[in-house]
Amino acid sequence: MTMTVDSRAADVRRHELAAFLRSRRERITPDQVGLPISGRRRTPGLRREEVAQLAGVGVTWYTWLEQGRDINASEQVLEAISRTLRLDPHEHLHLFTLAGAPEPPLEKDCKLLSQNVYRMMAKLEPFPVCVRNARCDILAYNRAYNWLMGDVDAIPFEDRNTMVQCLTNPEWRRRLPDWETNLPRVVAGFRAAMAEHLTEPAWKNLVRRLRQESEVFERMWKEHDVSGERIVLKRYFHPDVGLLRFEFSYLYLGRRSEISLATLTPADEETAAKLPSSF
């Protein structure tokens, strides 16, 4: 049977996906993902069955994927494989492209930001500014926000989520003296926002991750509380200058957009005086 142009292209893409997965798998060592090293290993990196186990997929199915067979992978499965193989943002997008899946939501949201937004954030310094979506992913931020939160640049792209950091990063929590008090409203607001995204893999994956990694979130999630109330006054603790107080202002980037630009304005003269004059 003669192959069409489309079928040939799909065949090439599947084989490229297979080679890409093998190359990423072979660069990850067992100790990097918390697996014990036992016996001799015939291949470098992780075994296929180890990737499958860590990603929560069938060994046979993952083997077929690495063999370039004609099978479909859901966004949820691709997200799990990406996390297991520790793909960076460019590799993450490349994985989705080769698999013929829609563009990952986080990368799609980031592309919606114009250069005007970045210029605005720079002009607002020394006030900290960040841009987030409804899922609490940090899409962009200025140098003042990076200073306030302790080197956001060092956080892996896929982990730049305020809920993930607040619940799993002790350094982040140390800078938020009221995090335990504010957390119930944050979780309730997140649940309310998720009502319009219940079937979306990115949202479900985030909830699954938070429930697995945070007992506090698991307890609050089971309570099913919802809220639309914003926290407009927050306190932060910076190790160099001490306690800071900010009022939050939110600007939504479009009439129906769920992406907002949050500006942290000093709530008192003491806080304003503590902000760096340059970065």
mmCIF file of all heavy atoms in Angstrom, residues 109-121 131 140 253 261:
data_model
loop_
_atom_site.group_PDB
_atom_site.id
_atom_site.type_symbol
_atom_site.label_atom_id
_atom_site.label_comp_id
_atom_site.label_asym_id
_atom_site.label_seq_id
_atom_site.Cartn_x
_atom_site.Cartn_y
_atom_site.Cartn_z
ATOM 1 N N ASP A 109 0.263 29.886 27.420
ATOM 2 C CA ASP A 109 -0.023 31.099 28.187
ATOM 3 C C ASP A 109 1.133 32.086 28.106
ATOM 4 O O ASP A 109 0.933 33.294 27.984
ATOM 5 C CB ASP A 109 -0.305 30.745 29.653
ATOM 6 C CG ASP A 109 -1.704 30.201 29.862
ATOM 7 O OD1 ASP A 109 -2.515 30.286 28.914
ATOM 8 O OD2 ASP A 109 -1.990 29.704 30.957
ATOM 9 N N CYS A 110 2.369 31.569 28.212
ATOM 10 C CA CYS A 110 3.543 32.453 28.162
ATOM 11 C C CYS A 110 3.617 33.204 26.838
ATOM 12 O O CYS A 110 4.014 34.371 26.793
ATOM 13 C CB CYS A 110 4.818 31.645 28.382
ATOM 14 S SG CYS A 110 5.053 31.120 30.094
ATOM 15 N N LYS A 111 3.242 32.535 25.754
ATOM 16 C CA LYS A 111 3.313 33.162 24.437
ATOM 17 C C LYS A 111 2.285 34.273 24.260
ATOM 18 O O LYS A 111 2.400 35.090 23.354
ATOM 19 C CB LYS A 111 3.136 32.103 23.344
ATOM 20 C CG LYS A 111 4.349 31.187 23.179
ATOM 21 C CD LYS A 111 4.149 30.219 22.050
ATOM 22 C CE LYS A 111 5.372 29.335 21.849
ATOM 23 N NZ LYS A 111 5.184 28.364 20.744
ATOM 24 N N LEU A 112 1.269 34.275 25.140
ATOM 25 C CA LEU A 112 0.246 35.314 25.050
ATOM 26 C C LEU A 112 0.742 36.661 25.560
ATOM 27 O O LEU A 112 0.125 37.689 25.317
ATOM 28 C CB LEU A 112 -0.995 34.895 25.853
ATOM 29 C CG LEU A 112 -1.797 33.700 25.317
ATOM 30 C CD1 LEU A 112 -2.922 33.361 26.276
ATOM 31 C CD2 LEU A 112 -2.341 33.980 23.929
ATOM 32 N N LEU A 113 1.856 36.652 26.267
ATOM 33 C CA LEU A 113 2.375 37.889 26.844
ATOM 34 C C LEU A 113 3.150 38.675 25.791
ATOM 35 O O LEU A 113 4.084 38.168 25.179
ATOM 36 C CB LEU A 113 3.291 37.574 28.025
ATOM 37 C CG LEU A 113 2.674 36.752 29.163
ATOM 38 C CD1 LEU A 113 3.680 36.578 30.295
ATOM 39 C CD2 LEU A 113 1.395 37.389 29.678
ATOM 40 N N SER A 114 2.772 39.919 25.602
ATOM 41 C CA SER A 114 3.452 40.775 24.637
ATOM 42 C C SER A 114 4.671 41.434 25.266
ATOM 43 O O SER A 114 4.827 41.450 26.489
ATOM 44 C CB SER A 114 2.497 41.860 24.123
ATOM 45 O OG SER A 114 2.194 42.772 25.164
ATOM 46 N N GLN A 115 5.509 41.999 24.426
ATOM 47 C CA GLN A 115 6.681 42.718 24.928
ATOM 48 C C GLN A 115 6.265 43.932 25.756
ATOM 49 O O GLN A 115 7.010 44.367 26.641
ATOM 50 C CB GLN A 115 7.563 43.154 23.755
ATOM 51 C CG GLN A 115 8.313 42.008 23.095
ATOM 52 C CD GLN A 115 9.181 41.258 24.088
ATOM 53 O OE1 GLN A 115 9.961 41.857 24.831
ATOM 54 N NE2 GLN A 115 9.054 39.939 24.098
ATOM 55 N N ASN A 116 5.086 44.467 25.495
ATOM 56 C CA ASN A 116 4.597 45.596 26.292
ATOM 57 C C ASN A 116 4.450 45.231 27.767
ATOM 58 O O ASN A 116 4.685 46.065 28.653
ATOM 59 C CB ASN A 116 3.245 46.088 25.757
ATOM 60 C CG ASN A 116 3.381 46.833 24.447
ATOM 61 O OD1 ASN A 116 4.450 47.366 24.149
ATOM 62 N ND2 ASN A 116 2.316 46.879 23.673
ATOM 63 N N VAL A 117 4.046 43.979 28.021
ATOM 64 C CA VAL A 117 3.897 43.527 29.401
ATOM 65 C C VAL A 117 5.252 43.512 30.107
ATOM 66 O O VAL A 117 5.382 43.959 31.249
ATOM 67 C CB VAL A 117 3.251 42.124 29.441
ATOM 68 C CG1 VAL A 117 3.254 41.578 30.867
ATOM 69 C CG2 VAL A 117 1.829 42.175 28.901
ATOM 70 N N TYR A 118 6.270 43.018 29.415
ATOM 71 C CA TYR A 118 7.609 42.971 30.010
ATOM 72 C C TYR A 118 8.154 44.386 30.244
ATOM 73 O O TYR A 118 8.801 44.649 31.272
ATOM 74 C CB TYR A 118 8.550 42.180 29.111
ATOM 75 C CG TYR A 118 8.231 40.704 29.079
ATOM 76 C CD1 TYR A 118 7.426 40.165 28.072
ATOM 77 C CD2 TYR A 118 8.715 39.851 30.066
ATOM 78 C CE1 TYR A 118 7.123 38.812 28.048
ATOM 79 C CE2 TYR A 118 8.414 38.495 30.046
ATOM 80 C CZ TYR A 118 7.614 37.983 29.037
ATOM 81 O OH TYR A 118 7.311 36.633 29.020
ATOM 82 N N ARG A 119 7.889 45.284 29.310
ATOM 83 C CA ARG A 119 8.339 46.669 29.485
ATOM 84 C C ARG A 119 7.627 47.319 30.666
ATOM 85 O O ARG A 119 8.225 48.084 31.443
ATOM 86 C CB ARG A 119 8.102 47.465 28.201
ATOM 87 C CG ARG A 119 9.102 47.146 27.088
ATOM 88 C CD ARG A 119 9.027 48.167 25.977
ATOM 89 N NE ARG A 119 7.816 48.018 25.183
ATOM 90 C CZ ARG A 119 7.749 47.274 24.065
ATOM 91 N NH1 ARG A 119 8.829 46.637 23.635
ATOM 92 N NH2 ARG A 119 6.629 47.189 23.390
ATOM 93 N N MET A 120 6.344 47.014 30.823
ATOM 94 C CA MET A 120 5.576 47.560 31.938
ATOM 95 C C MET A 120 6.137 47.071 33.265
ATOM 96 O O MET A 120 6.307 47.854 34.211
ATOM 97 C CB MET A 120 4.099 47.147 31.814
ATOM 98 C CG MET A 120 3.183 47.759 32.857
ATOM 99 S SD MET A 120 1.512 47.060 32.808
ATOM 100 C CE MET A 120 1.091 47.311 31.079
ATOM 101 N N MET A 121 6.445 45.790 33.356
ATOM 102 C CA MET A 121 6.986 45.245 34.598
ATOM 103 C C MET A 121 8.318 45.897 34.953
ATOM 104 O O MET A 121 8.592 46.189 36.119
ATOM 105 C CB MET A 121 7.156 43.725 34.470
ATOM 106 C CG MET A 121 5.848 42.961 34.451
ATOM 107 S SD MET A 121 6.090 41.169 34.666
ATOM 108 C CE MET A 121 7.008 40.788 33.175
ATOM 109 N N VAL A 131 3.225 37.967 36.710
ATOM 110 C CA VAL A 131 2.068 37.639 35.876
ATOM 111 C C VAL A 131 1.748 36.169 36.102
ATOM 112 O O VAL A 131 2.628 35.310 36.005
ATOM 113 C CB VAL A 131 2.352 37.892 34.387
ATOM 114 C CG1 VAL A 131 1.144 37.498 33.540
ATOM 115 C CG2 VAL A 131 2.709 39.363 34.157
ATOM 116 N N ALA A 140 5.595 35.274 34.193
ATOM 117 C CA ALA A 140 6.629 36.302 34.031
ATOM 118 C C ALA A 140 6.736 37.080 35.336
ATOM 119 O O ALA A 140 5.818 37.078 36.161
ATOM 120 C CB ALA A 140 6.282 37.241 32.879
ATOM 121 N N LEU A 253 -5.165 40.818 31.689
ATOM 122 C CA LEU A 253 -4.622 41.118 30.367
ATOM 123 C C LEU A 253 -5.592 40.708 29.259
ATOM 124 O O LEU A 253 -5.313 39.865 28.418
ATOM 125 C CB LEU A 253 -3.275 40.401 30.185
ATOM 126 C CG LEU A 253 -2.242 40.688 31.277
ATOM 127 C CD1 LEU A 253 -0.933 39.985 30.959
ATOM 128 C CD2 LEU A 253 -2.024 42.190 31.436
ATOM 129 N N LEU A 261 -1.817 40.514 35.878
ATOM 130 C CA LEU A 261 -0.567 41.122 36.303
ATOM 131 C C LEU A 261 -0.787 41.660 37.707
ATOM 132 O O LEU A 261 -1.648 42.506 37.925
ATOM 133 C CB LEU A 261 -0.172 42.234 35.332
ATOM 134 C CG LEU A 261 1.157 42.957 35.565
ATOM 135 C CD1 LEU A 261 1.766 43.384 34.224
ATOM 136 C CD2 LEU A 261 0.961 44.187 36.448
#
